[in-house]
Amino acid sequence: MGTATVKKFLDSGYRVIAVDGKDDHLLFAKSNTNFEFHSINLVDENETGLFVQSVIQKNLRVDGALMLVGGFAMGKVIETTGTDIQKQFSLNFDTAYFLARPLIGHMQQNGYGRLVFIGARPAINPAQGKDVIAYALAKSLLFRLVEFINEENKGKNITASVVVPSTIDTVINRKSMPDANPDNWVKPEQLAEVLEFICSEKGNAVREAVYKVYNNA
């Protein structure tokens, strides 16, 4: 999803500041003058905060943030330890919160901001969430966080949204589910289109949105 999103936003004329562990899947963007890459440990609140400050100082204004980092784990309640839950919280909630929190203050000063979080269907569908309890719990926090951000920033032209994909058509998912029909899944490019809509002028009037991008899955 990250690769498709970077490509979509660059093709649409945005300046993109990408964060990841390594950039081997983003080599196509290196020659683009509107692209920056940074290797940041987003589970470290201090490191993330310093990174955000440096980005603001260099670019003066950040209008949008896409919190795409996350991780997945199987396990019912009786199989899931506190350590399992903390790991999923760190990957799926902390990484988003540590990035969004300092950006919200900056966006409040500018009177504009678009924050997009990636939810998960198991977080809102108990029938699916019961088998991935740590993952579902962590993702469910993002929905509440978005509600709080929107309530705090009403009338300030700052919006937080959640995009909820079903199964994403990736190489890993095709290998792990060889009997499934990937035509029913969501393409990364389709998700990138939704993300760009939210951040564009086309999405300016939308508030408090949860985008369920399921296709036929």
Side-chain angles (χ1 to χ4, degrees):
M1 181 169 57
T3 301
T5 299
V6 168
K7 187 176 188 308
K8 174 61 183 177
F9 275 73
L10 288 176
D11 288 348
S12 301
Y14 292 80
R15 178 164 180 76
V16 175
I17 302 167
V19 179
D20 204 344
K22 54 184 178 178
D23 66 349
D24 55 347
H25 59 293
L26 297 173
L27 296 177
F28 70 90
K30 273 196 167 182
S31 61
N32 193 311
T33 56
N34 282 328
F35 178 76
E36 284 183 35
F37 176 83
H38 298 268
S39 181
I40 304 296
N41 179 15
L42 292 175
V43 301
D44 185 314
E45 184 173 14
N46 184 62
E47 182 177 344
T48 304
L50 291 173
F51 163 69
V52 171
Q53 290 177 18
S54 69
V55 168
I56 292 171
Q57 289 172 358
K58 180 178 179 180
N59 296 277
L60 301 182
R61 183 180 175 111
V62 178
D63 287 333
L66 311 176
M67 275 59 71
L68 309 184
V69 176
F72 178 80
M74 297 294 295
K76 299 177 184 293
V77 170
I78 61 172
E79 303 162 343
T80 302
T81 67
T83 299
D84 296 330
I85 290 175
Q86 290 301 320
K87 182 178 180 180
Q88 285 296 298
F89 277 21
S90 180
L91 285 172
N92 292 295
F93 181 80
D94 290 351
T95 56
Y97 186 81
F98 294 162
L99 191 61
R101 188 182 69 83
L103 282 172
I104 289 171
H106 169 71
M107 290 172 174
Q108 287 173 342
Q109 291 178 346
N110 292 331
Y112 183 90
R114 299 293 179 262
L115 300 148
V116 188
F117 300 83
I118 302 299
R121 190 157 58 173
I124 54 177
N125 185 331
Q128 294 183 347
K130 64 182 176 59
D131 295 320
V132 290
I133 189 68
Y135 173 73
L137 285 171
K139 284 292 190 180
S140 69
L141 284 179
L142 294 176
F143 291 85
R144 297 310 307 274
L145 175 62
V146 162
E147 291 174 353
F148 294 141
I149 292 172
N150 284 328
E151 186 64 30
E152 180 183 340
N153 292 283
K154 280 187 175 179
K156 299 178 182 177
N157 204 15
I158 296 168
T159 68
S161 306
V162 187
V163 173
V164 189
S166 60
T167 306
I168 303 174
D169 187 4
T170 64
V171 173
I172 293 175
N173 282 338
R174 286 193 179 214
K175 287 182 178 179
S176 63
M177 293 177 278
D179 296 328
N181 181 5
D183 290 340
N184 292 330
W185 299 346
V186 178
K187 307 297 183 188
E189 292 78 13
Q190 293 173 316
L191 286 168
E193 290 279 353
V194 174
L195 296 173
E196 195 277 327
F197 167 82
I198 296 169
C199 294
S200 72
E201 291 184 359
K202 300 184 292 289
N204 275 349
V206 180
R207 294 292 185 275
E208 302 180 19
V210 175
Y211 297 83
K212 297 179 180 181
V213 190
Y214 292 170
N215 198 6
N216 293 315

